[in-house]
Amino acid sequence: MTRAFTPPDTLSKDDIRTIADVRRDIWTNAFWGLGVGSLSGAAAHGLGQLAQTRGIVRGLNRNTAFLSVLGGGALGSFLMATAAGKNQVHNLHPIFEVGKKEIPPPRDGTPYQQALQAAQENYFDAGKQQQQQQERDVVSTARQQAVVSSAYADDDFNIHKRRLNRVMRRKTLQSTFERGGLSDSHGGSWVEDERSGRH
């Protein structure tokens, strides 16, 4: 048995009657929407067939007629039942308050508020830790740059290294063009080809 037949003892007869009236109004409007939507779907399909005879639309048949009637009915039922429910909900507001117990919140907040406060504290602690880590990273990066700059202080070493890099780049490009040029497919050669010696 549903709860509609056995309402709680806290509801008065007027409250029960109000709930029944709202429920009845929603169901009545849903069936009106089903009828209106089905007729609207049939009319829309009829207009579509008229457009099909003039060559504007193609592919309408009895399957699309069935779809139009059922789709229109479902949409109309949904829309009218939803509108009725939204229009009648104000009648249920006093019933929502029946049997409500006023519980004062704890002095230090509800469990949710306590969890929120702990999360915020952890978030700010994590933010401070992240800021300290960033400061350490900046110092570390500055030290690394100082080491690198001292290594490149010798101009002869720097010039010699640049020349070696330039020669290596040229050799790499030359071998790439000899094997077939630049390509997205592994430089034009596949792993199986390299193993078998084919290019």
Side-chain angles (χ1 to χ4, degrees):
M1 230 192 226
T2 65
R3 294 196 62 185
F5 297 120
T6 57
D9 296 334
T10 55
L11 293 178
S12 68
K13 290 197 182 279
D14 289 335
D15 293 339
I16 295 170
R17 185 175 297 113
T18 302
I19 293 171
D21 289 343
V22 170
R23 186 182 299 124
R24 185 180 314 109
D25 194 34
I26 290 172
W27 276 96
T28 304
N29 280 303
F31 279 111
W32 273 106
L34 178 68
V36 170
S38 297
L39 290 175
S40 298
H45 189 267
L47 289 174
Q49 284 180 329
L50 180 66
Q52 185 176 7
T53 59
R54 296 187 181 189
I56 300 172
V57 180
R58 295 184 342 180
L60 295 178
N61 55 27
R62 65 182 185 176
N63 290 337
T64 56
F66 191 63
L67 176 69
S68 298
V69 170
L70 291 182
L75 183 65
S77 177
F78 171 75
L79 291 176
M80 287 189 70
T82 303
K86 287 187 180 292
N87 288 335
Q88 293 292 326
V89 74
H90 67 89
N91 294 328
L92 298 177
H93 286 304
I95 297 171
F96 293 151
E97 301 293 322
V98 172
K100 177 178 153 184
K101 296 179 185 174
E102 288 292 331
I103 301 173
R107 229 172 14 118
D108 50 349
T110 64
Y112 171 76
Q113 291 170 336
Q114 292 170 359
L116 178 64
Q117 184 177 3
Q120 287 174 342
E121 289 171 1
N122 290 339
Y123 175 75
F124 291 124
D125 289 343
K128 288 177 187 176
Q129 290 174 354
Q130 185 178 9
Q131 184 180 7
Q132 291 170 354
Q133 181 62 37
Q134 288 174 348
E135 290 170 2
R136 286 193 296 267
D137 290 344
V138 167
V139 170
S140 174
T141 304
R143 286 182 185 155
Q144 290 174 353
Q145 289 175 350
V147 169
V148 169
S149 64
S150 68
Y152 285 111
D154 187 10
D155 288 336
D156 293 333
F157 172 76
N158 203 9
I159 292 170
H160 179 67
K161 188 167 182 172
R162 286 185 186 171
R163 286 183 182 155
L164 284 176
N165 284 342
R166 188 178 309 140
V167 169
M168 290 301 292
R169 267 196 308 268
R170 286 181 182 165
K171 283 183 181 179
T172 304
L173 280 173
Q174 184 179 2
S175 68
T176 301
F177 285 124
E178 287 173 356
R179 286 187 298 148
L182 297 175
S183 172
D184 285 342
S185 59
H186 309 286
S189 64
W190 297 90
V191 175
E192 291 83 20
D193 293 340
E194 290 176 1
R195 287 183 189 152
S196 63
R198 291 181 286 160
H199 289 286

